Amino acid sequence: MTEVAPYGSWRSPISAHVVAEGGRRLASPVLAGGGAIWWAEGRPAESGRVVLMRRDVGGEIEEVTPEGFYVRTRVHEYGGGAWRLDGDEAVIFVNFEDQRLYRQRLGERPLALTSEPELAGELRYADARVAPDGEMLVCVREVHRGDAVDNEIVAIPLDGSGEATVLACGRDFYSFPRISPDGRWLAWTCWDHPNMPWDGTELWLAPLADPAAARLVVGGRSESIFQPEWSPEGVLHFASDRDGWWNLQRLEGDSVEALTAERAELAHPQWLFGGATFAFLDGGSIACVRCDGGEERLGILRPGAEAVEGLHLPFTSFGFPALSARGSRVAFAAAGPDRETVVAVYDVISGETEVVRSASEIDVDPAYVSLPRAIEFPTSGGETAHAFFYPPANGDFRAPEDELPPLIVQSHGGPTSHATPALDREILFWTSRGIGVVDVNYRGSSGFGRPYREALKGTWGIVDTDDCIAAARYLAEIGEAAGERLAIHGGSAGGYSTLCALVFHDEFATGASYYGVADAETLAADTHKFESRYLDGLIGPYPEQAELYRQRSPINFVEQLQAPVILFQGLEDEVVPPSQAETMVAALRQNGVPHAYLAFEGEQHGFRRSETEIRCLEAELYFYGRILGFEPGDELEPVEIEGA
């Protein structure tokens, strides 16, 4: 028998502890020779430490990274591409604490390949590739000297005997250094401010022995190139959005040949290094991640085919893909609407999928799983926006017939990224308590083609906010949510949309901002190099349009804010500094707006510690209960709400 209880008060076994401590963060599996597989594993219970794991051909799983090492690079602050296999039984990785490159053989201690700089972290490395002769590697290096930050591609001897040799420099950013199978050629991408890599990049090619003889292959300020990769036969492939969608191309002599003409995306925004949305299989086939309407699927591009063949696997969310293929097998980390992230290997010949590692040893009971559905809804300017809606779901409870549930509008970060449909314990934390969640792919999101992505140009804080509001209105109008009990939350850029919605509009009763942007002008003047000109495209050139920045900053109009808000902030955040949240809190206090503020030592941009996630989820639930008028079924540590 199900129990009748108000929405928001349902008891759920999906506690904040289950959310935070039950989820290993699995990423970037790599198939090695002999049947072994490696992957990276984030540990929230170890303060977010990332270690390398390996399963041998016999099925034994071991932790490769020894105590005292943490595999993560800080290039571009967001990192990615922090490790790479060297043969089958050695790995090269970046250690988070000192940002040096290390080489480790199985069963041995890591040995440093790069010298110790004068200041820890002033030399940072990412996206390494080992030369075919095994004598050196090439990678991206980021040099921090005072306020100056320089990016370049360097070669480093693998025996640790010498200093780095600069192969390419002078551009603002570099990525994807890739050596041809015969060791003769080096390809890479680069771009300059104010572009971001999804705006416009260039693909360059040079003799490895004479990088000064480099030539531009393709790309420019309005074409985004992703993942240059050499096939086993030595043909350079890459993804380009020259036709409005990221499609696969290859270089034939001096000509570029399009391999696909999908009305879907075969690449992702390059927030992280080391992304791989395609990988080469035996026989000339290419495994691809294809994103259509925010839903990601694994497919195969057969030789001579013009379209990607779907594989009908149960996975719809590949995060930032990093496919690895060997023979007829392809490895990936992915999730689905009814399953959490796993490291899996699919064999294109047998059609069998093997799960190597799961995010958790304990499965979520299907009775508490909310299955998402894709929705489209009208928004401002006569346009259409997209989202995934997760209705309340708990097999033990139902609500009174005359009650509609509260709704949380979730605004993703980036803002150039996208939400995918997947079993996410954090979403189930809310839905299993009787609170709906709608994960909005507002205009500006990737996964819907370049025109949709560019709809945010010059309109950040406006159309993304409009789309979040439109999603809430749509679900209220069709009877899926209580119009008077709407909340909005998001992190980083999603926190900015949250604050804009609460300050400049009155549709939401409350909200939560996680390390959100409150002052766009301060962000333009005080953030890391990678994003320091991002807002030129999203808002306008700075400081020429400083007044527009002030008009778009919620901090300058906090007197218009009537809805209570809770803010969460990491005190070591280099992307959105704590000063943003602290200034917002001071203004809220001065204007008597009910609010709460929780700051966390040791956390950066994007929380990684399980204790932080537990505190945040429980605090947000407590806050919503107080504001939206329901009594949570959990025993929660109270949150001080100033001005209430």
Side-chain angles (χ1 to χ4, degrees), residues 28-32 38-40 52 71 80-94 101-105 113 126-131 136-139 158 176-179 227-230 273-276 278-279 322-326:
S28 307
V30 175
L31 291 166
W38 298 59
W39 66 93
L52 299 179
V71 181
W83 65 283
R84 184 72 181 177
L85 286 187
D86 177 12
D88 294 329
E89 296 193 346
V91 65
I92 292 163
F93 69 91
V94 178
L101 274 171
Y102 289 79
R103 187 172 188 264
Q104 180 189 359
R105 292 186 180 276
L113 293 179
D127 213 5
R129 288 296 184 275
V130 177
M136 71 167 184
L137 63 82
V138 297
C139 66
L158 274 175
F176 292 116
R178 299 294 184 263
I179 302 174
Q227 193 196 341
E229 204 77 62
W230 299 92
F273 288 99
F278 64 92
L323 298 185
S324 170
R326 182 179 283 261

Side-chain angles (χ1 to χ4, degrees), residues 533-556:
R533 299 288 300 277
Y534 189 15
L535 301 194
D536 281 28
L538 295 176
I539 296 177
Y542 185 85
E544 294 87 339
Q545 296 193 31
E547 180 57 31
L548 182 58
Y549 278 72
R550 286 189 280 273
Q551 292 298 316
R552 296 276 184 89
S553 298
I555 189 65
N556 297 325

Side-chain angles (χ1 to χ4, degrees), residues 208-425:
L208 185 57
D210 184 16
R215 66 181 177 90
L216 175 65
V217 175
V218 70
R221 298 190 65 82
S222 58
E223 179 182 1
S224 176
I225 307 297
F226 183 87
Q227 193 196 341
E229 204 77 62
W230 299 92
S231 72
E233 296 75 29
V235 178
L236 186 61
H237 291 61
F238 55 92
S240 165
D241 68 351
R242 59 173 55 189
D243 67 353
W245 301 85
W246 272 306
N247 272 291
L248 293 187
Q249 324 275 326
R250 69 182 172 199
L251 185 64
E252 293 285 359
D254 292 328
S255 301
V256 173
E257 177 187 358
L259 296 180
T260 62
E262 299 278 345
R263 299 283 293 175
E265 303 280 37
L266 301 183
H268 275 223
Q270 193 187 147
W271 281 103
L272 304 173
F273 288 99
T277 53
F278 64 92
F280 300 103
L281 296 158
D282 279 355
S285 292
I286 303 175
C288 310
V289 173
R290 181 181 185 274
C291 182
D292 185 5
E295 183 176 282
E296 298 167 347
R297 295 280 186 177
L298 187 66
I300 300 292
L301 181 65
R302 308 283 183 184
E306 295 181 355
V308 176
E309 173 190 331
L311 294 176
H312 307 293
L313 299 179
F315 305 106
T316 55
S317 177
F318 286 73
F320 188 79
L323 298 185
S324 170
R326 182 179 283 261
S328 63
R329 304 162 71 226
V330 57
F332 52 86
D338 60 351
R339 64 199 65 215
E340 295 184 271
T341 300
V342 297
V343 169
V345 178
Y346 175 77
D347 192 304
V348 298
I349 294 177
S350 68
E352 295 180 354
T353 303
E354 178 190 13
V355 172
V356 176
R357 183 78 154 173
S358 299
S360 174
E361 303 297 341
I362 302 174
D363 293 333
V364 176
D365 188 328
Y368 306 99
V369 173
S370 175
L371 294 175
R373 73 172 192 262
I375 61 172
E376 296 182 355
F377 48 90
T379 187
S380 59
E383 300 292 331
T384 298
H386 307 266
F388 293 103
F389 173 56
Y390 298 79
N394 184 321
D396 301 327
F397 288 91
R398 59 184 175 88
E401 293 185 3
D402 60 347
E403 186 181 357
L404 292 174
L407 176 72
I408 297 174
V409 174
Q410 186 159 290
S411 176
H412 66 69
T416 309
S417 60
H418 65 273
T420 53
L423 193 158
D424 182 332
R425 291 189 184 206

Side-chain angles (χ1 to χ4, degrees), residues 103-162:
R103 187 172 188 264
Q104 180 189 359
R105 292 186 180 276
L106 281 177
E108 299 180 5
R109 292 287 296 178
L111 297 175
L113 293 179
T114 54
S115 59
E116 186 172 0
E118 293 181 11
L119 297 175
E122 71 176 1
L123 299 178
R124 306 175 184 182
Y125 305 88
D127 213 5
R129 288 296 184 275
V130 177
D133 62 11
E135 294 185 359
M136 71 167 184
L137 63 82
V138 297
C139 66
V140 174
R141 183 170 71 174
E142 189 172 82
V143 183
H144 291 248
R145 297 267 163 75
D147 293 332
V149 179
D150 294 313
N151 295 71
E152 54 200 16
I153 293 175
V154 298
I156 296 172
L158 274 175
D159 61 6
S161 63

